[in-house]
Amino acid sequence: RPIKTHLNFLGECQVFNAAMAAYACKLVNPTITEDQIEQGLSQAFLPGRFEIIKKNATLIKMKTRRV
């Protein structure tokens, strides 16, 4: 059945990434259920990676250096 879940990641490309992750899980472990995949995807997060810290806040642009 199709996977239906809420993602905690911003960006349309994350839908594709989640679909590929779900496919990989089924490929590696065919006994995993769609419910387990949905639960895992809905709980997944990467702290600090495009994370919404506060809504309606002033945006502060930070300069970063690449090493």
Side-chain angles (χ1 to χ4, degrees):
R1 72 173 170 82
I3 301 294
K4 295 180 182 178
T5 191
H6 169 79
L7 298 176
N8 295 311
F9 301 110
L10 301 176
E12 291 182 31
C13 64
Q14 300 306 335
V15 175
F16 177 78
N17 291 341
M20 291 298 102
Y23 179 76
C25 286
K26 277 299 235 186
L27 194 62
V28 172
N29 182 4
T31 61
I32 194 168
T33 67
E34 284 78 7
D35 288 336
Q36 291 171 315
I37 292 172
E38 289 170 349
Q39 182 180 5
L41 288 173
S42 71
Q43 293 176 357
F45 71 100
L46 295 170
R49 176 123 175 109
F50 299 108
E51 184 178 9
I52 296 175
I53 297 174
K54 183 177 179 183
K55 291 185 179 184
N56 299 323
T58 302
L59 178 64
I60 300 171
K61 186 175 180 179
M62 298 178 68
K63 239 182 175 181
T64 59
R65 283 185 6 188
R66 292 189 178 192
V67 226

